[in-house]
Amino acid sequence: MRTVEHELVGLAGPGGRWRPVAVGPFALLAVALALLPIRPVWLWAGLIGVVAAIPWLLGAAPDARRRLPRPYWRLSGAGLERIGPGGLTMVSYERSRIDGLAVTTGDGVLTVFHRFGRTAVGGMTSMGLEPLAVFVTARRLGIPMHVLDGEASDLLDPALDDALNVPGLDGDVPGGSVLPRDHMAEKRLLDQEAALLAAAYEPTAPEPGDDDPDDDTNAPAGDSGEQRLDTPEPLPSRRRVVLLGVLTALLGAAMIIRIAMDGTGEFGARLAAGCWALAAIAGVLAVRRRLLRAARVRWTITAERLLVRARPGRRREAQDLRAGDVAAVVVGPGLRLDPVSGEPRRAELAALAFGHRLELIARLPADGLDGFQLAHALDDHGYRVITPGARPPRRPPYGLEWLPEIFARVPGGRLVVAEGGLGWADAGGDIVMKMPEDRIGGIELLTIAGHAWVRLYDTDGDEFLAAPLSALRISRTDLREAARRAGLPVNDAEYDAYLSAAFHTAVSTLADTGTAPEPAPASLPAQSAAQDGGTDVEAPGSGGGAGDHDLLPDVSASPDPVSAPGALLDATRRSRAGTYGMSVLLCEAVALLGAVWLGPDLGGFNATASWSVPAGLIVGLVGYWLYDRNRAQLRVSSAGLAVVTRRGKVEWDLGRGRVGGVGLDESAEHLPRPVVVWSPSGRVLRQVGFQPDPEELRRACERYGLPWGPPDADRPAPPPPEL
């Protein structure tokens, strides 16, 4: 995408892509023809095939493929415009009439402030515009641009005119305003604009030894090698998906031909043919959607140019940028085109290439790539990389019940261990409140969102306090050691796991390798082997002779995620019952279709359904029972995570060192949210195929020292010392 200076063109889909035309009406027409008793049968079968193929033939026609480009939005010196097919202006907000632009954070709607009020133009995503690009372009055009808290419906309420201080957005919003500005979001946009200005106007120093005066001095100096980044290969592969679509179409055609050869005198046979025609059309459409969504993205990064292809092998979709034209690349959340509908959608990762005049010269797709690898690859080759600033710290509600009252009564108080129990001491050290030992059933120390917490249980096992230690003004080490000296039941799973790993590492270095001249691969320390995914590591010298080796502890018996003591979590009863019901319904549907298809040969539909429906019910119940008796379960322990079937088969396991977080993937589009395991760098390592109880999983992770939630999730702020 090439643009002129101070002009921003919104993201819009191409108009000339091949696609079937009116598939739904023609599919219904094919089913209707299949139900009609048309004679002869070859004409009946031919009409079904021709009607089913008409949408694809219409889509392949040259006139159908030469569609006009989709409408798009443009922000330029003429104002904010929506350009329709043929270059006609459909909607226009003239520059001379625009007093300011605003983006609301609640719904992401772009609002135009003008002389007679304000108008909500539309959502930024649906318009195909990125906030940073609009922010930079509007300021280059001299249009005030602001970010406001709330929603566009609140901005359009006349009752808020005084609170919003309109017309114009130059004045400060009052402190009691209903919609205060989102200063943090606007500051991040200003910081990114400043970084773009620095990248555009700071001269680039040439490399030493570069004496060619014809070279572009604006080109970045970096690694001259070529580096490729590809999105993962889709599963199943595109070739298998195409094969599946062809087989589905051939199967539907073969079954319709077979029914025509057997005769179409009975309604059941014609109904079966209609079902096969509908199944073949739906299968081909599903395969087409799958192929469109399985498109891969390939980046070829060199010091001279950037080559990005949405589909490798199709050069017409490649974007080629010279390094000298690129001032900086902004890597972060952005937009992408939906492969099926062609409409703009939100993307977890995208790249915006800006030129030296702060114009947006290209939108580079990056959805599916690793943002860490992409940013560092661009930086290694000399490109200026700008990433969005960190979000403001999240302040979670701690829900502490009696602590605010205690803080009000005893300012500066803290938790102490004294006289065989827990107490609350004031600033002078006097114990104001005490909990005796006989009321304490357990003290659990854990880490939540990067902060040390304590959970207190009574003698019945019920939790009566959960609070961060920073709010209680006591360190984790002091509380653990003092409680153990006083004989209180304290559990610190993370500290115990650390001591176990440290002891195992220290002892493994004392093992002798025997008389072998070179260390065998099995002589690696157990900690390193665990990080590489290994579970069973033979101790060095375990096969040697007697002597000093007999005095060493058995290092080879280090716990792994499968054998270490821990909690075994199963799928919830609700999900198991739902799967049970779906399996039975699927078997019943197959039984009914079989009765419709084979009924004429087995004594009629009623006679066949009388035994096929009970048989389908029995098959569904027994089949799911056989699967359910060997279902997978999640094992959580201090050594890591593992998914083990009820018969003991290990599907996968991850050592403690490879786990950076366990929790629900909030970025997933479908419900319920899947349970995933992140690495310390934030990459998804595994996804749990079933749905355990999230509350039980959280408690198990906290008990055995596994971090709950994604690594560095929103950088949650520490709790306040005084509540």
Side-chain angles (χ1 to χ4, degrees), residues 415-624:
L415 182 69
V416 295
V417 180
E419 300 180 5
L422 296 177
W424 190 259
D426 57 11
D430 298 331
I431 298 178
V432 180
M433 186 175 157
K434 182 181 177 183
M435 181 178 299
E437 181 181 0
D438 54 359
R439 291 186 53 190
I440 301 176
I443 303 174
E444 183 180 5
L445 300 176
L446 57 144
T447 301
I448 300 179
H451 303 288
W453 278 58
V454 61
R455 294 185 187 274
L456 299 181
Y457 301 89
D458 56 16
T459 53
D460 296 332
D462 298 330
E463 176 185 315
F464 64 88
L465 173 65
L469 292 179
S470 58
L472 304 179
R473 289 191 174 91
I474 187 172
S475 67
R476 185 171 187 164
T477 303
D478 294 342
L479 178 57
R480 179 180 62 248
E481 300 302 329
R484 288 180 176 176
R485 285 196 302 267
L488 298 177
V490 59
N491 178 29
D492 192 347
E494 296 182 29
Y495 180 73
D496 296 339
Y498 164 75
L499 287 183
S500 176
F503 172 77
H504 179 75
T505 304
V507 172
S508 62
T509 58
L510 302 177
D512 189 7
T513 58
T515 59
E518 295 181 358
S523 63
L524 292 173
Q527 185 178 5
S528 301
Q531 294 177 356
D532 294 337
T535 55
D536 298 328
V537 182
E538 183 181 358
S542 60
D548 294 337
H549 300 284
D550 298 335
L551 301 177
L552 294 175
D554 187 8
V555 185
S556 62
S558 59
D560 58 4
V562 179
S563 60
L568 197 61
L569 303 181
D570 205 343
T572 59
R573 293 183 178 180
R574 182 176 180 179
S575 63
R576 291 175 59 192
T579 309
Y580 218 117
M582 288 299 298
S583 64
V584 173
L585 290 178
L586 180 61
C587 292
E588 290 297 322
V590 173
L592 289 175
L593 291 177
V596 172
W597 181 21
L598 302 176
D601 300 332
L602 299 177
F605 172 78
N606 294 331
T608 306
S610 63
W611 60 266
S612 64
V613 172
L617 178 62
I618 295 175
V619 170
L621 295 175
V622 175
Y624 185 77

Side-chain angles (χ1 to χ4, degrees), residues 39 64 74 122 135 169 306 315 318 335 371 403 423 438 460 538 701 704:
R39 295 291 186 272
R74 181 176 66 187
F135 189 83
L169 296 173
L306 290 175
R315 295 187 178 276
L335 301 177
L403 284 183
D438 54 359
D460 296 332
E538 183 181 358
C701 292
Y704 293 100

Side-chain angles (χ1 to χ4, degrees), residues 14 35-36 40 55 58 60 138 325 327 388 410 424 472 487-488 501 557 593 597 608 613 644 661 682 700 706 712:
L35 298 178
L36 296 178
L58 292 178
D325 298 336
V410 187
W424 190 259
L472 304 179
L488 298 177
L593 291 177
W597 181 21
T608 306
V613 172
V644 186
L706 295 178
D712 299 331

Side-chain angles (χ1 to χ4, degrees), residues 706-718:
L706 295 178
W708 174 256
D712 299 331
D714 295 340
R715 293 191 310 158

Side-chain angles (χ1 to χ4, degrees), residues 166-245:
V166 290
L169 296 173
D170 297 331
D172 292 332
V173 179
S177 172
V178 179
L179 293 176
R181 292 176 185 168
D182 191 342
H183 295 283
M184 296 301 297
E186 190 167 341
K187 182 179 181 301
R188 289 197 301 271
L189 293 176
L190 289 172
D191 293 341
Q192 295 179 58
E193 183 191 29
L196 285 174
L197 286 170
Y201 294 107
E202 286 182 0
T204 303
E207 290 186 349
D210 190 2
D211 299 332
D212 190 357
D214 297 333
D215 287 347
D216 191 354
T217 57
N218 290 326
D223 187 6
S224 60
E226 179 180 294
Q227 184 173 355
R228 289 186 177 181
L229 298 177
D230 297 340
T231 54
E233 179 72 23
L235 294 176
S237 63
R238 295 175 58 88
R239 186 174 301 176
R240 293 184 180 181
V241 173
V242 171
L243 180 60
L244 178 62

Side-chain angles (χ1 to χ4, degrees), residues 86-287:
L88 300 177
T89 302
M90 303 172 61
V91 181
S92 176
Y93 301 91
E94 297 180 8
R95 169 65 187 90
S96 60
R97 301 181 182 272
I98 298 177
D99 294 336
L101 298 175
V103 179
T104 50
T105 60
D107 49 8
V109 172
L110 180 65
T111 303
V112 175
F113 289 82
H114 49 86
R115 179 180 177 183
F116 300 102
R118 61 200 73 96
T119 302
V121 180
M124 297 284 289
T125 301
S126 61
M127 296 174 65
L129 298 174
E130 298 86 355
L132 177 61
V134 174
F135 189 83
V136 173
T137 306
R139 288 169 62 85
R140 299 285 77 75
L141 295 173
I143 302 176
M145 181 72 188
H146 298 277
V147 181
L148 300 179
D149 279 334
E151 298 183 354
S153 59
D154 300 326
L155 288 176
L156 301 179
D157 189 356
L160 301 178
D161 285 351
D162 295 336
L164 290 174
N165 195 20
V166 290
L169 296 173
D170 297 331
D172 292 332
V173 179
S177 172
V178 179
L179 293 176
R181 292 176 185 168
D182 191 342
H183 295 283
M184 296 301 297
E186 190 167 341
K187 182 179 181 301
R188 289 197 301 271
L189 293 176
L190 289 172
D191 293 341
Q192 295 179 58
E193 183 191 29
L196 285 174
L197 286 170
Y201 294 107
E202 286 182 0
T204 303
E207 290 186 349
D210 190 2
D211 299 332
D212 190 357
D214 297 333
D215 287 347
D216 191 354
T217 57
N218 290 326
D223 187 6
S224 60
E226 179 180 294
Q227 184 173 355
R228 289 186 177 181
L229 298 177
D230 297 340
T231 54
E233 179 72 23
L235 294 176
S237 63
R238 295 175 58 88
R239 186 174 301 176
R240 293 184 180 181
V241 173
V242 171
L243 180 60
L244 178 62
V246 173
L247 292 178
T248 302
L250 292 179
L251 178 61
M255 295 308 301
I256 293 175
I257 293 174
R258 178 184 179 278
I259 293 174
M261 295 176 62
D262 293 342
T264 59
E266 296 185 4
F267 178 77
R270 297 196 300 271
L271 179 60
C275 293
W276 278 110
L278 186 61
I281 295 174
V284 173
L285 286 178
V287 167

